[in-house]
Amino acid sequence: MAIRRLPTDDESLRRYAAELWLPYHRGLAAEVDAHALADWPDERFVERNVEFTRSRLEDEGNRGWVAVSGADDAEVDPATAPVADPALELTGLLLTSVDECPDPFDRPDRLVVGEIYVTEPHRGTGLADRLMDRAAADAREQGCGEIRLDVDVDNERARAFYAKHGFEPYREQLTRDVE
């Protein structure tokens, strides 16, 4: 298993969107009403996500990571084979960005974990811990002194995972419908 930067070529981004991003968001939508998805065919989600992710990753400070593994008898190395190689299994994702501190404020720059996901067969294997370690390394590499993320209040599993990794409540977001 290897955690690698997400390449921005079409084939890699399509595979990432179809095998990681879309299942992650379908699962999240099933658990949390606020994450409901449009009634689109899968291919439309994939194509829209390819362009969105590519443009995001082109911005300085934004990074995408994928966890990949190969079958025990596979002749490909997960650390070096192209992400689009069908002999690889995509098993997790991590998207990060830098939230730079504006001049008048006295706080460190923060690395924001935008998305983290591990496919069902790989949950409980320590992969999510490795992805969080990758986020911490990313923060150090980009000169950030803190890591921040958002979690839905009713996502108890995720909240417990983040608490285990030392995250504490920082801010509370409030929403309401517009009348």
Side-chain angles (χ1 to χ4, degrees):
M1 172 114 28
I3 297 174
R4 310 210 353 236
R5 288 288 291 269
L6 176 60
T8 57
D9 63 278
D10 282 355
E11 197 173 357
S12 295
L13 289 175
R14 272 192 193 90
R15 185 159 189 227
Y16 153 82
E19 295 180 26
L20 293 173
W21 186 88
L22 187 55
Y24 166 58
H25 285 279
R26 288 222 186 275
L28 196 55
E31 297 291 324
V32 181
D33 289 340
H35 291 279
L37 294 173
D39 187 21
W40 292 351
D42 287 358
E43 189 55 35
R44 183 171 179 191
F45 283 110
V46 168
E47 289 307 314
R48 296 290 289 268
N49 187 262
V50 165
E51 291 309 314
F52 174 78
T53 301
R54 179 181 292 114
S55 70
R56 247 187 112 203
L57 295 179
E58 288 172 351
D59 289 343
E60 188 175 337
N62 291 349
R63 294 182 178 175
W65 303 91
V66 289
V68 296
S69 64
D72 292 337
D73 60 351
E75 295 184 15
V76 298
D77 180 358
T80 59
V83 168
D85 189 322
L88 293 178
E89 179 184 8
L90 303 186
T91 58
L93 73 88
L94 172 69
L95 297 179
T96 65
S97 61
V98 174
D99 173 22
E100 293 181 2
C101 179
D103 288 344
F105 299 101
D106 183 23
R107 69 156 172 87
D109 291 346
R110 297 179 179 130
L111 184 88
V112 179
V113 174
E115 297 185 13
I116 183 171
Y117 170 71
V118 173
T119 60
E120 185 70 41
H122 296 276
R123 292 181 187 157
T125 66
L127 178 54
D129 296 321
R130 289 184 58 202
L131 288 168
M132 289 307 301
D133 291 345
R134 178 65 256 174
D138 198 9
R140 287 188 296 277
E141 290 165 8
Q142 298 199 68
C144 296
E146 292 180 347
I147 300 175
R148 183 183 68 85
L149 53 79
D150 291 336
V151 62
D152 290 297
V153 295
D154 54 352
N155 191 339
E156 292 300 324
R157 181 179 177 163
R159 290 168 56 98
F161 174 77
Y162 297 135
K164 179 181 97 172
H165 282 272
F167 286 87
E168 297 177 353
Y170 165 70
R171 178 177 273 169
E172 185 174 346
Q173 285 186 334
L174 305 173
T175 61
R176 74 172 195 127
D177 290 337
V178 176
E179 297 171 25

